[in-house]
Amino acid sequence: MFKKSQLKYYILLSLGIIVLINILANRFFLRLDFTEDQRYTLSETTKDVLEGITEPVTVTAYFSEGLQPQFDQLRNDFRDILSEYSSISGRQVVYEFVNPNEDQQMEQKAVEAGIQTVMIEAREKDQSITKKAYMGAVIQIGEESETIPFIQPGAQMEYALTTAIKKMTVPEKAAIGFISGHGEAGLQEMMQVTQGLDVLYVSEEVELSDSVNLSKYKTIAWINPQDTVPEEHLAIVDEYLAQGGNIFVSVNKVDAQLNQGIGFSKYTGLGKWLEKKGIKVEENFVMDVNCGSVNVQQRQGIFTVNRPINFPYLPILSNFAEHPITEGLGTMVLQFGSTVSFSGDSTQTYTPLVFTSEKSTTQPTPVYFNIERQWDENDFPMSKLPVAAMVETNKNKLVVVADGDLAINGSGQEMRQVQPDNANFVVNAIDFMSDDTGLIQLRSKQVKMRPLDQIDDADKQVLKWANFGLPILIILGIGIYRNQRRKLIRLKRKGESYV
């Protein structure tokens, strides 16, 4: 037993230890991440950006409260990641959370800053109501600011925050040239690509002429030319490559007119030029059992309905080489693509980057599309056909993807969203060739979904009865064991009493 005087000292010591632990916990943030994809761990890129901050970064997080539990969790997750940013940056990142719904002036300030208004279904007093909510942030460094209109859950939080900070801390952005003048897609038609590049680069359209100076660009991009490219323009690009420049090419060697049901070869002169550089784009249509669909109009009585039909000429790709360009990519979709092959020599290093699935095939031009055809796996005897590749020399890099429409959003009423990883592939390739791979790891970082394995009905029945019966059997077994044990104890005591 402790004496009263000793007890007082032990209590004071315990309180001092608790206070010290709280001070240390408040000063040093520690979180262990046991997830396979490290979804809660900041990347080395983010840590490098934060450690390089030389002036305070202020983050104002506009989050509504009193919403559904998943949105409260989103706010907590965002607070946690900001706490990590603050700790790693040496308290250079400071933040505050504001509920715009509590104050009309604060709500107006959030809207003026570019925070997106979101309408969310909620329940109050057993009634379903629609609430106006805000889940965004404004990041400010000095006089500059960046807005995240809507906080994406999961790993996208880190990408949004880091890119916003890096965009304001890059002293001078390098220029990326996009060749124009031959019917290529303009910058306004590649919204997702230009947004991805905007963090580190300035995108510029450039026409090839005798007076053009391509040396200012570390990398140039040639996206989907429609017209024949003159030889003198190809010679200008040859000179640029000879001086150590790099080029990304997205090109169609085939095209299709679905309204006429025909696919055909397409000539721009770029195919022969690429073949001399080490990559041959074949004049074929690549097909895959994993594919997108097209809508076909059908009559049902007096009505006309659109019915989606699988169309193998729109392959869905998920096989990627282990390379910084494809790191973290999940799914790309081609629109009438072709295969590529190596046509260079021993002075070049050839790296296939993107492949079809294990069940794929090709068709040479011309192709006559049969929408009603019923495809089966026997129609796809080929495996892992390359559709994008890179050739490197000691001077330059050339990346080619055999689909000119890969990352084109279009314009006007024809504008569309492309598969996010289509745009990520283009931006990653330009980053890699420009010797800045820092954001590749973040841009393609995803929370991987791992659905449960499907089992047949017989196994389901076995598991169902096992889940139902095993607890009962275990309880009965424990009861029988305890009953027998008690009998043995009673018999033993009875025997001792008779000794």
Side-chain angles (χ1 to χ4, degrees):
M1 296 292 293
F2 295 120
K3 295 180 180 179
K4 288 186 177 180
S5 59
Q6 289 179 320
L7 183 60
K8 179 175 66 174
Y9 291 120
Y10 279 114
I11 292 174
L12 290 174
L13 179 62
S14 300
L15 289 174
I17 292 173
I18 293 172
V19 171
L20 179 62
I21 291 173
N22 277 275
I23 292 173
L24 292 174
N26 185 58
R27 185 174 182 83
F28 302 101
F29 184 88
L30 176 64
R31 180 168 64 183
L32 300 178
D33 186 358
F34 294 103
T35 58
E36 183 180 346
D37 50 16
Q38 296 294 287
R39 68 185 64 176
Y40 301 114
T41 300
L42 297 184
S43 68
E44 292 302 322
T45 300
T46 294
K47 293 176 181 177
D48 291 341
V49 171
L50 294 176
E51 289 169 358
I53 293 176
T54 58
E55 54 183 318
V57 178
T58 302
V59 181
T60 305
Y62 294 93
F63 270 82
S64 300
E65 297 180 7
L67 304 175
Q68 297 176 13
Q70 62 266 33
F71 298 113
D72 291 335
Q73 183 61 45
L74 177 64
R75 183 178 64 253
N76 292 336
D77 289 344
F78 194 59
R79 189 187 300 274
D80 287 345
I81 197 172
L82 286 174
S83 179
E84 286 199 60
Y85 274 56
S86 178
S87 176
I88 293 173
S89 65
R91 306 297 172 182
Q92 286 281 64
V93 175
V94 295
Y95 58 91
E96 65 172 334
F97 277 73
V98 176
N99 181 7
N101 301 83
E102 290 184 346
D103 185 271
Q104 190 171 2
Q105 290 184 346
M106 190 60 67
E107 183 176 1
Q108 182 65 28
K109 185 177 179 180
V111 172
E112 290 175 355
I115 304 299
Q116 183 178 335
T117 304
V118 183
M119 306 307 294
I120 293 177
E121 294 289 334
R123 293 193 67 83
E124 285 188 1
K125 299 179 180 179
D126 296 328
Q127 291 183 343
S128 179
I129 62 172
T130 301
K131 278 189 171 184
K132 184 166 58 173
Y134 300 89
M135 288 171 281
V138 176
I139 299 93
Q140 188 167 0
I141 302 178
E143 298 297 322
E144 294 188 69
S145 66
E146 288 287 332
T147 300
I148 306 175
F150 179 71
I151 302 295
Q152 295 287 346
Q156 294 300 322
M157 290 183 187
E158 183 183 351
Y159 176 66
L161 275 171
T162 302
T163 52
I165 294 172
K166 190 163 186 176
K167 189 183 294 186
M168 291 184 287
T169 54
V170 173
E172 185 176 352
K173 296 181 179 180
I176 302 296
F178 284 79
I179 295 177
S180 63
H182 318 93
E184 292 87 354
L187 292 178
Q188 73 280 1
E189 299 178 80
M190 294 180 287
M191 175 184 62
Q192 288 172 253
V193 170
T194 54
Q195 285 178 350
L197 291 173
D198 187 47
V199 179
L200 297 175
Y201 310 102
V202 176
S203 300
E204 300 177 354
E205 291 187 16
V206 55
E207 291 193 15
L208 301 177
S209 63
D210 294 337
S211 60
V212 70
N213 177 24
L214 294 180
S215 61
K216 63 180 288 191
Y217 306 110
K218 196 158 191 179
T219 300
I220 60 175
W222 210 336
I223 309 295
N224 198 24
Q226 300 295 312
D227 306 326
T228 301
V229 181
E231 290 293 334
E232 54 268 27
H233 289 182
L234 295 173
I236 294 172
V237 180
D238 282 335
E239 184 179 353
Y240 166 76
L241 293 175
Q243 295 173 355
N246 307 295
I247 183 169
F248 174 87
V249 178
S250 176
V251 63
N252 283 329
K253 281 294 290 289
V254 295
D255 207 345
Q257 292 183 353
L258 280 181
N259 56 348
Q260 298 182 9
I262 187 172
F264 46 87
S265 298
K266 184 173 184 177
Y267 180 81
T268 61
L270 200 55
K272 289 185 176 179
W273 180 80
L274 287 172
E275 191 170 349
K276 295 176 183 177
K277 300 301 174 187
I279 296 182
K280 181 179 181 181
V281 182
E282 307 288 348
E283 291 186 7
N284 60 24
F285 283 86
V286 65
M287 304 163 61
D288 203 297
V289 70
N290 296 323
C291 60
S293 61
V294 293
N295 288 324
V296 177
Q297 289 188 345
Q298 291 185 337
R299 295 282 296 180
Q300 291 186 359
I302 61 173
F303 299 103
T304 300
V305 296
N306 288 325
R307 183 166 68 93
I309 295 178
N310 287 341
F311 197 53
Y313 300 92
L314 307 177
I316 298 175
L317 312 173
S318 56
N319 286 329
F320 303 99
E322 291 186 6
H323 194 275
I325 292 177
T326 56
E327 183 179 359
L329 296 184
T331 301
M332 290 171 57
V333 180
L334 296 192
Q335 181 177 323
F336 303 113
S338 304
T339 56
V340 298
S341 59
F342 181 53
S343 58
D345 53 36
S346 59
T347 64
Q348 299 169 309
T349 302
Y350 174 72
T351 306
L353 296 172
V354 186
F355 307 87
T356 61
S357 73
E358 285 73 14
K359 293 187 178 295
S360 52
T361 190
T362 61
Q363 280 191 355
T365 57
V367 171
Y368 299 93
F369 302 120
N370 181 5
I371 299 295
E372 299 296 334
R373 177 174 173 178
Q374 298 296 317
W375 301 87
D376 59 46
E377 293 189 355
N378 294 328
D379 295 317
F380 305 94
M382 301 180 183
S383 174
K384 292 188 176 181
L385 303 173
V387 296
M390 178 176 65
V391 165
E392 297 178 83
T393 67
N394 58 357
K395 288 186 177 181
N396 53 54
K397 302 179 184 72
L398 165 65
V399 175
V400 177
V401 57
D403 178 15
D405 305 291
L406 180 77
I408 296 179
N409 299 106
S411 59
Q413 294 183 347
E414 296 182 356
M415 182 173 288
R416 62 188 178 93
Q417 286 285 319
V418 299
Q419 184 76 7
D421 280 339
N422 285 19
N424 287 339
F425 176 82
V426 177
V427 179
N428 286 357
I430 292 174
D431 268 346
F432 178 77
M433 290 188 289
S434 303
D435 295 331
D436 197 329
T437 59
L439 290 179
I440 291 178
Q441 182 183 8
L442 279 180
R443 187 181 298 113
S444 304
K445 185 177 179 181
Q446 300 175 355
V447 175
K448 297 179 181 178
M449 303 302 295
R450 293 177 174 83
L452 296 175
D453 294 334
Q454 296 296 317
I455 59 176
D456 56 37
D457 292 337
D459 291 336
K460 288 180 182 178
Q461 289 294 327
V462 172
L463 291 173
K464 182 175 73 174
W465 286 109
N467 287 332
F468 175 76
L470 277 178
I472 297 175
L473 292 175
I474 291 172
I475 292 171
L476 288 174
I478 293 173
I480 293 170
Y481 168 76
R482 294 184 65 183
N483 183 57
Q484 292 298 320
R485 188 167 179 270
R486 286 174 179 174
K487 283 184 179 180
L488 290 173
I489 292 172
R490 285 198 301 269
L491 288 172
K492 184 177 180 182
R493 288 176 177 172
K494 184 176 180 181
E496 290 175 352
S497 65
Y498 283 101
V499 174

